[in-house]
Amino acid sequence: MKLDAQIPAGPLALKWDRRRFEMKLVNPANKRKFDVIVVGTGLAGAAAAASLAELGYKVQAFCYQDSPRRAHSIAAQGGINAAKNYQNDGDSIHRLFYDTIKGGDFRAREANVHRLAQLSVNIIDQCVAQGVPFAREYGGLLANRSFGGAQVSRTFYARGQTGQQLLLGAYQALCRQIGLGSVTIFPRTEMLDLVLVNGHAKGIVTRSLVTGEITAHAADAVILATGGYSNVFYLSTNAKGCNVTASWRAYKKGAAFANPCYTQIHPTCIPVSGDHQSKLTLMSESLRNDGRVWVPKKKGDTRPPREIPEDQRDYFLERKYPSFGNLAPRDISSRAAKEVCDEGRGVGPGGLGVYLDFADAIQRIGEAGMRERYGNLFDMYEKITGENAYQRPMRIYPALHYTMGGLWVDYDLMSNVPGLFVLGEANFSDHGANRLGASALMQGLADGYFVAPYTLGHYFATAKQPKPRSDQTEFKKAAADMQELTRKLLAINGKRTVNSFHKELGAMMWEKCGMARNEKGLKELLAQIPVLREDFWKNVKVAGQNEELNQSLEHAGRVADFLEFAELLAQDALHRRESCGGHFRTEYQTEDGEAKRDDENFAYVAAWEYAGPGRAAILNKEPLIYEEVHMSTRSYK
Amino acid sequence: MNLTLKVWRQKDARTEGRLVTYQAPNVMPDMSFLEMLDVLNEDLIAKGEEPIAFDSDCREGICGTCSMIINGLAHGGMRGTTVCQLHMRHFRDGETIVIEPWRARAFPVLKDLITDRSAFDRIIQAGGFVSVNTGGAPDANALPIGRIEADTAMDAAACIGCGACVAACKNASAMLFVAAKVSHLAALPQGQIEREQRVLGMVKAMDEAGFGNCTVTGSCEAVCPKEISLDFIARLNREYGKAILKNTFPPAGKGGD
Ligand SMILES: Cc1cc2nc3c(=O)[nH]c(=O)nc-3n(C[C@H](O)[C@H](O)[C@H](O)COP(=O)(O)OP(=O)(O)OC[C@H]3O[C@@H](n4cnc5c(N)ncnc54)[C@H](O)[C@@H]3O)c2cc1C
Ligand code: FES
């Protein structure tokens, strides 16, 4: 497989300008002749669909929820980064670029990350123009807060609902285009397959989640903005419906999957309460601005937290990382929490929790001050746990949160399949091996508002492919294949529910491929997954029929894909014999337990290529060449 | 604890539905309401019965997908709480719980507890936006906005579009939903230019979708999981009144064509 990242020549800061100048354009009158399919209406998809329609393209947009406004982006709480330097605290495009590269543990592409930092400033302007109600100072200017992994205040926010407000901005822009007739929207519609004609992406096959109808749709290009795959671990902070299906089926049609083992575990989530647990809830990272993380020094100390005297507490983040303290990056904080729990010092049910204590902050700014800053989070915590965090420390534990890996894309965000573009969390492009807080929203919107609208035009102007029709054989065959797959799932009629398989897969992934990984565990996992998958295809029980609203069937299709994808994730984790960012291999650590990278052998993007059923995926490498930044050891001590 | 559930079962939009009784044994107080239903559904599937279809996604009270009436109250009636955030510790052992879908002409039932709320999207499409294309926006700080305006806008913008307001209203009115969006944009300088068109367009779309009239009973505010204030409905009425007046009696020289 040929992987050409198409990175423009010239100095880093001028690459995007240069690329925009080199790109071929589609003249305005011709734009309406091109149809674009956008799968996903989160920040990336909604922004792209609206912007492309504004330019004159004819867009069809798809999502599995009942309304595009409910995409998972809605759940983002904390904020969005931008190098505005409104606080006059020394921020700049270059600093945001550098923080992101370093935060990603030197496993991201320089050119993409620099463009992201450049576009960050336009995003805030665009969102304000749409009426996004960002937090403001008394003088009327925009307010900022700090996030992990940065020493400047560059995070813009709308109370604890930043993702919601940004998504509503994009959704409203999308609605405007739907009203104007330039976007056709297909809610409650799931993409099941990608259709290629002459090797170019020319359409998709979908299933209506209301009627079960399987339909082929043709277009001149396809954009996937279908989000991340955290739910391969079953329990995560993602919405229940988040899945890998669109990406995975595109992979099986030839799109390379990059760095699947780069998964992010968020340190501050509410711990599991029992076997019935269906998802995990994030407590925003912003809490670490005022909370102190600790566990008892003594193993198995079950006294109530307030009865444990100061000198018998271990504030382990402050102890280990004095200069960043409780604001150490996510991967580092999560691992530190796991370590103390593994030592038997965890708190709460099963010893799987650490305290996040606000007593000092409450003493400093009072309960009312805390309520103003974090009221909604404390309320949410109380709803879920029944505990009052003003009176006793929160219990938190790390959980799967975000996936840096995704479909491989070039600088134009086009995959190796011509005409298939991948945006937002679904691609692998900007966060390397670890993402910094408040950078996913930024990336989704940069991709959707400011990159794809240009690069898609270049593809149209240069590819010159004939217009596809959905009654061509390629489409008919793909639709028939999907009908057959659905039929197969329904025909098994075994003894185990879909959810029980999903749970079992999640548990083994978390145990052997979660916060810490090693060769032995990964090899065991690689032996276990195929056994579970085989059992699934023999023994799963899917209720109901195809020709109806059938949630059991929807879930079955997604779990079937997770069961295949999990193996690729584990294989990637096994092959990467180094520790970097969210990927921690216990065999590769420094004496004091920090991640040990191996730049000599692993400074590349691992892009996996589908080799056919039952065959091992083929590894392709895109070397990471750093022209501007010196690859250093990440230190937050 | 052990509970008795009476759940609305309806095969599809065309078939009539009815309440069916189920036992939910061993419910843990730490379960969410939806997790309690998940566990029941696992049992039903294992027994070869059809699981209960209900909508949910984020399960943290922000996406607005979950939607059901519990004992006659939208989202179960806990202040500021969506049903996905409602936990079983608020119920008593031995209790009987009645679970139904949103009931409104504009939200037809698709199956069991799932309804079609696309009417809300159509209302937004009729004007719930600021018409700015991507690109060319001025610097964000070029437009200072007072904290009061910004806070009012945010209070209104917090609406999650779940439809509980409609479900709770005896007239199935969508006024609180429309009021929230109209007020959000009317509070900000960015929303001024299209202020009148917006409110006229959205109210028209609301009427066309078959929502009822508002008689200001306040039941919408009481169940709103985001506690959107009834004051916004008063604002909507003012906005609408002003827009109607201006458009019925347009300034001299502009009328008559
Ligand atoms: C709880 C939480 C808090 C977060 N907080 C922050 C934060 O403060 N700051 C930050 O920067 N990031 C945050 N993130 C991360 C960030 O929210 C996501 O990475 C980002 O929103 C992803 O956007 P997206 O557009 O790529 O995908 P999504 O928003 O996940 O959208 C995916 C879309 O694809 C559709 N879709 C998926 N599969 C299919 C299919 N097969 N067929 C049809 N449609 C499909 C869905 O319907 C949906 O419309 C947070 C994440 C979580 C979970
Ligand atoms: S499932 Fe998202 S609000 Fe309840």
Side-chain angles (χ1 to χ4, degrees):
Chain A
M1 177 182 285
K2 191 175 136 275
L3 291 178
D4 182 353
Q6 305 272 2
I7 296 169
L12 189 60
L14 298 179
K15 282 184 194 292
W16 180 230
D17 272 356
R18 180 173 181 140
R19 182 79 190 125
R20 282 194 296 173
F21 179 68
E22 286 168 356
M23 275 189 284
K24 298 275 179 293
L25 302 174
V26 178
N27 105 27
N30 281 339
K31 287 200 173 94
R32 79 179 87 91
K33 295 184 189 150
F34 290 99
D35 294 289
V36 185
I37 283 174
V38 181
V39 189
T41 59
L43 288 180
S51 306
L52 287 162
E54 287 161 9
L55 288 172
Y57 296 110
K58 286 210 330 248
V59 178
Q60 297 162 276
F62 298 81
C63 66
Y64 71 74
Q65 291 91 349
D66 68 327
S67 162
R69 68 180 286 151
R70 306 200 203 282
H72 169 61
S73 295
I74 201 101
Q77 303 168 351
I80 176 166
N81 287 330
K84 282 285 197 184
N85 193 30
Y86 282 161
Q87 306 306 323
N88 198 28
D89 58 358
D91 200 8
S92 64
I93 286 170
H94 198 82
R95 187 178 291 279
L96 174 55
F97 155 73
Y98 182 77
D99 285 351
T100 310
I101 286 276
K102 175 184 170 198
D105 216 354
F106 304 94
R107 289 291 176 267
R109 241 188 235 150
E110 267 191 342
N112 286 57
V113 177
H114 196 274
R115 174 179 63 194
L116 177 64
Q118 283 177 306
L119 294 176
S120 69
V121 298
N122 304 87
I123 294 171
I124 303 302
D125 299 343
Q126 184 63 34
C127 295
V128 166
Q130 291 170 342
V132 170
F134 283 120
R136 291 183 178 264
E137 307 289 355
Y138 282 105
L141 301 184
L142 290 157
N144 290 118
R145 57 163 63 136
S146 321
F147 250 60
Q151 288 172 318
V152 291
S153 264
R154 63 159 77 97
T155 306
F156 294 78
Y157 61 100
R159 295 201 187 136
Q161 292 118 281
T162 317
Q164 179 198 27
Q165 294 310 317
L166 295 173
L167 183 60
L168 292 181
Y171 159 78
Q172 287 164 202
L174 178 66
C175 280
R176 177 173 157 239
Q177 295 305 317
I178 297 171
L180 292 170
S182 43
V183 175
T184 313
I185 183 83
F186 297 84
R188 289 203 201 268
T189 307
E190 179 155 31
M191 165 180 165
L192 295 184
D193 208 0
L194 178 73
V195 184
L196 306 189
V197 179
N198 282 331
H200 286 246
K202 288 291 168 219
I204 59 173
V205 175
T206 61
R207 178 174 178 274
S208 157
L209 302 184
V210 180
T211 65
E213 195 183 346
I214 290 178
T215 314
H217 306 260
D220 297 287
V222 176
I223 294 180
L224 297 189
T226 44
Y229 51 82
S230 294
N231 281 352
V232 66
F233 291 83
Y234 186 68
L235 288 181
S236 84
T237 62
N238 284 201
K240 286 296 282 175
C242 291
N243 64 85
V244 77
T245 291
S247 300
W248 188 246
R249 309 251 170 122
Y251 164 78
K252 287 169 89 173
K253 285 289 172 83
F257 210 113
N259 302 332
C261 81
Y262 291 164
T263 51
Q264 177 168 81
I265 291 171
H266 199 294
T268 53
C269 302
I270 300 177
V272 173
S273 75
D275 194 43
H276 54 263
Q277 193 86 31
S278 62
K279 74 151 293 183
L280 293 169
T281 302
L282 175 75
M283 287 284 102
S284 166
E285 175 159 313
S286 57
L287 287 171
R288 289 199 279 145
N289 277 303
D290 285 301
R292 298 179 69 196
V293 177
W294 65 275
V295 288
K297 281 189 177 156
K298 217 171 56 203
K299 261 193 210 178
D301 188 341
T302 53
R303 285 177 291 174
R306 290 282 171 261
E307 285 170 26
I308 302 179
E310 271 303 311
D311 65 342
Q312 292 176 34
R313 299 176 177 190
D314 178 11
Y315 292 92
F316 56 91
L317 286 178
E318 297 171 21
R319 171 171 59 79
K320 293 178 73 170
Y321 307 101
S323 74
F324 277 69
N326 294 296
L327 277 175
R330 291 177 177 178
D331 50 341
I332 289 175
S333 310
S334 295
R335 250 185 342 263
K338 176 180 157 56
E339 239 166 61
V340 295
C341 293
D342 287 351
E343 290 165 15
R345 299 194 286 139
V347 299
L352 292 177
V354 302
Y355 289 127
L356 180 61
D357 197 335
F358 301 96
D360 288 1
I362 291 175
Q363 214 157 44
R364 206 171 57 239
I365 59 169
E367 204 178 302
M370 285 301 280
R371 188 157 280 134
E372 194 187 335
R373 277 187 204 172
Y374 307 112
N376 63 332
L377 294 170
F378 279 52
D379 288 350
M380 178 136 75
Y381 182 79
E382 180 160 15
K383 270 179 201 155
I384 294 174
T385 62
E387 291 172 13
N388 178 340
Y390 296 102
Q391 281 158 18
R392 54 179 299 158
M394 278 185 186
R395 288 174 297 110
I396 54 162
Y397 197 66
L400 238 297
H401 178 58
Y402 181 86
T403 52
M404 283 74 67
L407 291 179
W408 184 89
V409 288
D410 64 13
Y411 186 72
D412 286 354
L413 305 183
M414 188 164 86
S415 74
N416 56 304
V417 174
L420 177 68
F421 291 76
V422 190
L423 318 183
E425 192 173 339
N427 74 25
F428 87 106
S429 74
D430 294 357
H431 307 292
N434 175 54
R435 173 177 71 81
L436 290 184
S439 286
L441 302 181
M442 166 172 77
Q443 182 225 332
L445 289 179
D447 290 1
Y449 284 134
F450 298 116
V451 181
Y454 290 91
T455 58
L456 224 74
H458 176 70
Y459 167 73
F460 290 141
T462 51
K464 306 246 190 280
Q465 292 292 307
K467 190 135 202 107
R469 284 196 339 265
S470 61
D471 57 0
Q472 274 168 245
T473 32
E474 289 88 345
F475 289 86
K476 283 193 187 147
K477 173 162 187 320
D481 288 349
M482 289 306 113
Q483 255 139 9
E484 174 56 19
L485 182 70
T486 312
R487 197 198 55 75
K488 233 170 98 185
L489 280 168
L490 285 162
I492 302 166
N493 200 18
K495 294 220 158 45
R496 277 185 69 182
T497 63
V498 178
N499 207 49
S500 76
F501 283 102
H502 195 178
K503 253 186 182 167
E504 187 175 338
L505 174 68
M508 60 173 80
M509 292 299 286
W510 178 246
E511 190 191 328
K512 297 191 168 141
C513 200
M515 264 185 284
R517 304 156 174 185
N518 61 48
E519 180 165 337
K520 180 169 164 286
L522 289 167
K523 283 192 168 153
E524 286 164 10
L525 182 61
L526 281 165
Q528 282 172 312
I529 297 169
V531 176
L532 185 65
R533 188 168 60 227
E534 211 169 292
D535 191 31
F536 175 88
W537 282 103
K538 276 202 200 115
N539 220 349
V540 74
K541 186 175 184 71
V542 183
Q545 284 118 49
N546 177 52
E547 289 72 27
E548 61 175 350
L549 196 161
N550 184 342
Q551 294 177 313
S552 178
L553 178 60
E554 290 164 31
H555 195 192
R558 293 171 192 162
V559 173
D561 289 338
F562 280 138
L563 281 164
E564 293 181 3
F565 169 69
E567 201 172 335
L568 187 70
L569 199 166
Q571 190 181 340
D572 187 41
L574 178 66
H575 116 279
R576 191 164 279 280
R577 298 166 69 89
E578 65 162 350
S579 294
C580 57
H583 170 65
F584 190 76
R585 286 278 300 259
T586 53
E587 306 97 312
Y588 308 102
Q589 51 182 312
T590 61
E591 264 166 34
D592 46 0
E594 300 300 334
K596 199 159 138 199
R597 277 199 339 254
D598 176 355
D599 291 340
E600 203 168 310
N601 294 304
F602 288 97
Y604 61 78
V605 176
W608 298 91
E609 178 184 348
Y610 185 61
R615 295 234 185 94
I618 302 161
L619 174 63
N620 299 275
K621 299 177 182 176
E622 179 203 331
L624 288 167
I625 297 154
Y626 282 79
E627 292 173 354
E628 188 91 9
V629 166
H630 168 67
M631 292 174 129
S632 58
T633 302
R634 212 161 61 117
S635 168
Y636 293 91
K637 292 212 159 168
Chain B
M1 51 189 161
N2 298 307
L3 301 169
T4 303
L5 308 178
K6 293 188 183 236
V7 186
W8 186 261
R9 303 300 311 261
Q10 179 170 341
K11 190 171 170 350
D12 53 36
R14 287 173 304 277
T15 316
E16 286 222 355
R18 65 195 174 94
L19 286 171
V20 177
T21 304
Y22 299 95
Q23 297 306 321
N26 307 322
V27 173
M28 314 287 292
D30 280 339
M31 286 180 174
S32 72
F33 198 87
L34 301 186
E35 284 168 345
M36 183 269 295
L37 290 178
D38 288 342
V39 172
L40 174 63
N41 272 344
E42 287 290 284
D43 274 3
L44 292 178
I45 297 173
K47 283 194 285 194
E49 292 178 39
E50 273 239 3
I52 300 159
F54 62 89
D55 257 336
S56 81
D57 205 22
C58 75
R59 297 208 175 185
E60 47 185 79
I62 191 71
C63 71
T65 308
C66 62
S67 42
M68 55 185 81
I69 307 266
I70 299 169
N71 293 336
L73 292 169
H75 289 302
M78 275 264 296
R79 203 170 170 72
T81 308
T82 53
V83 60
C84 61
Q85 293 272 282
L86 178 65
H87 281 67
M88 296 314 292
R89 68 180 76 90
H90 303 293
F91 294 85
R92 285 184 325 273
D93 186 31
E95 204 173 327
T96 298
I97 304 175
V98 182
I99 310 172
E100 296 166 275
W102 283 172
R103 302 227 184 250
R105 184 152 62 98
F107 291 164
V109 173
L110 294 176
K111 182 174 186 171
D112 298 342
L113 304 172
I114 298 182
T115 56
D116 176 354
R117 290 171 286 187
S118 54
F120 270 10
D121 291 314
R122 290 195 295 279
I123 293 175
I124 301 293
Q125 288 156 23
F129 44 75
V130 177
S131 297
V132 289
N133 283 356
T134 304
D139 185 84
N141 260 351
L143 185 70
I145 298 174
R147 262 192 76 165
I148 296 178
E149 287 81 10
D151 278 348
T152 308
M154 184 62 215
D155 287 343
C159 167
I160 57 175
C162 63
C165 47
V166 175
C169 175
K170 66 178 168 44
N171 310 318
S173 163
M175 281 288 273
L176 192 61
F177 170 77
V178 176
K181 189 46 65 193
V182 166
S183 305
H184 159 207
L185 295 174
L188 295 172
Q190 299 93 309
Q192 297 313 306
I193 294 170
E194 297 165 289
R195 194 165 176 168
E196 288 152 24
Q197 271 157 277
R198 176 177 309 115
V199 68
L200 295 175
M202 289 178 71
V203 168
K204 182 159 171 275
M206 171 178 85
D207 292 341
E208 283 170 3
F211 292 103
N213 291 325
C214 173
T215 49
V216 208
T217 61
S219 49
C220 50
E221 182 189 44
V223 298
C224 173
K226 296 296 136 181
E227 304 179 63
I228 306 283
S229 160
L230 209 54
D231 295 348
F232 290 123
I233 293 189
R235 249 174 213 264
L236 169 59
N237 284 330
R238 274 202 308 278
E239 291 289 322
Y240 187 69
K242 272 196 277 183
I244 285 280
L245 268 177
K246 242 182 147 169
N247 285 271
T248 323
F249 305 105
K254 283 273 184 73
D257 55 344

